[in-house]
Amino acid sequence: MRLSRLSRPLLPLAAALMLAGCSLLGGTGEGAGAAATAPSAGDVQLLEDVRILSADDMQGRDTGTAGSERARAYIVARLDALGVAAPGMGRLQPFEARGRTREGVKTFNGTNIIGVIPGTRVGDRYIVVTAHYDHVGVNDGQVFNGADDNASGFATLLALAAELKRNPPQHSVLFVALDGEERGLLGATHFVEAPPVPLESISLNLNFDMTARAETDGKLWVTGTYQNPTLRPILEPIRADGAVALAFGKDTPQDTGEDNWVEASDHAAFYRAQIPFLYLGVNYHPDYHRPSDDFERITPSVFISATALSIAAFHALDRALDR
């Protein structure tokens, strides 16, 4: 029987970061992570967000469950604490939709969670940053905690939100914690069908899904530049951070089956609505969709580097779009 991760203190996270020799969150460039440094508050919070969202207490965050409600309460509290405002429609976007299960199709009641930070240059144009917070719940008595899938992507979203509260974006940004991804992109589909802003005002969807475990190949993959070729030159100059570098692909006609990620996550709903998209995520690893996808499997320095690259990618896109 495993101890609940919610019962574990924050201090070991700081110790793990120092042992890992991690870089400060948001720093990209040569030498990042080369020497042990004291962890920044952002580094510690990034890992704490994953630890809490992937705790046994969250029961795998399946859509419509008590675990999902606990995760939702945590996410709302974090957005409130960061000072990320709710849009005019409100913080929560409930929906009802038919989704897939191992027993067949059933109806799910889910909830998207939305925050907004106004832009300084093109406030009437939006970058929609998404990350799903649901996972697959409890199966055969085992909790599927989904630390990488996708507590990590949502923690990266929160780190970006914290950065943009310190340094306001040029575009207005909608931060959307999507529900029901594992049940068939339910929350993303609903968001696109009932958006809080006109679809034509959305310049880009930037989707984070599985951002922690880049040690598989040392890459944070960027999918969607084949469909949106003008975006690749914007991101190509971003240098590696520590052991992690951006890589482009998983989106061409030659990428088939599981190697094609164009419709593999919530960005597919935006793609189908003809909204430019980019998907940032790591490659498959042995714990993918297994009960072993736990917080303890994450290497802090690798996750922090991938998040720093994600934030650098946002800034580059924010500066370049709508010129």
Side-chain angles (χ1 to χ4, degrees):
M1 184 175 72
R2 292 178 293 177
L3 290 174
S4 165
R5 287 154 186 79
L6 276 178
S7 67
R8 299 179 184 179
L10 185 60
L11 181 60
L13 294 178
L17 286 166
M18 295 185 72
L19 290 171
C22 67
S23 62
L24 296 180
L25 184 60
T28 57
E30 291 183 274
T37 58
S40 72
D43 295 336
V44 175
Q45 185 63 63
L46 177 75
L47 291 170
E48 182 72 345
D49 286 332
V50 174
R51 184 187 71 83
I52 289 175
L53 287 170
S54 62
D56 288 345
D57 312 62
M58 296 292 180
Q59 299 176 317
R61 308 185 306 278
D62 197 4
T63 301
T65 65
S68 176
E69 291 180 12
R70 281 192 287 275
R72 183 160 64 250
Y74 178 76
I75 291 166
V76 169
R78 285 285 289 119
L79 291 172
D80 288 347
L82 287 170
V84 177
M89 65 177 288
R91 178 75 79 198
L92 303 181
Q93 185 186 46
F95 63 87
E96 181 179 280
R98 300 279 286 171
R100 62 196 178 208
T101 73
R102 294 196 299 176
E103 295 76 34
V105 176
K106 62 175 279 190
T107 298
F108 287 91
N109 291 299
T111 305
N112 297 330
I113 308 162
I114 307 174
V116 63
I117 295 179
T120 59
R121 175 171 61 87
V122 277
D124 59 344
R125 302 289 297 172
Y126 292 82
I127 297 176
V128 179
V129 180
T130 54
H132 74 91
Y133 69 96
D134 65 297
H135 196 50
V136 298
V138 180
N139 297 279
D140 301 322
Q142 292 183 294
V143 180
F144 285 62
N145 285 316
D148 193 22
D149 187 13
N150 183 38
S152 68
F154 189 73
T156 295
L157 180 151
L158 286 175
L160 175 60
E163 160 67 13
L164 297 186
K165 287 298 294 182
R166 293 187 297 268
N167 300 295
Q170 297 185 24
H171 290 75
S172 292
V173 181
L174 286 169
F175 295 96
V176 190
L178 291 166
D179 201 357
E181 190 269 356
E182 301 288 1
R183 299 304 178 185
L185 316 186
L186 306 185
T189 299
H190 180 75
F191 180 88
V192 170
E193 290 174 347
V197 298
L199 289 181
E200 56 268 24
S201 70
I202 298 175
S203 295
L204 179 70
N205 167 232
L206 184 62
N207 185 38
F208 301 140
D209 193 349
M210 296 174 58
T211 56
R213 301 281 298 274
E215 67 272 10
T216 300
D217 57 11
K219 297 173 181 176
L220 180 68
W221 285 91
V222 181
T223 292
T225 60
Y226 179 85
Q227 289 72 25
N228 306 282
T230 60
L231 301 181
R232 180 163 177 166
I234 298 170
L235 300 183
E236 283 181 329
I238 298 175
R239 294 181 295 170
D241 188 291
V244 185
L246 293 181
F248 300 88
K250 311 287 189 182
D251 53 12
T252 73
Q254 290 72 42
D255 298 313
T256 60
E258 291 187 345
D259 285 329
N260 192 301
W261 296 352
V262 173
E263 300 208 22
S265 182
D266 290 310
H267 56 278
F270 294 84
Y271 171 55
R272 295 167 190 166
Q274 300 183 322
I275 295 169
F277 75 93
L278 290 176
Y279 165 35
L280 273 61
V282 303
N283 219 330
Y284 297 108
H285 50 76
D287 300 310
Y288 171 71
H289 270 213
R290 298 181 63 84
S292 53
D293 183 10
D294 286 336
F295 171 74
E296 289 82 0
R297 301 293 180 102
I298 292 173
T299 302
S301 61
V302 172
F303 181 32
I304 290 164
S305 287
T307 294
L309 288 175
S310 301
I311 292 173
F314 173 88
H315 281 308
L317 293 160
D318 185 36
R319 289 191 298 266
L321 293 176
D322 297 304
R323 289 289 182 182

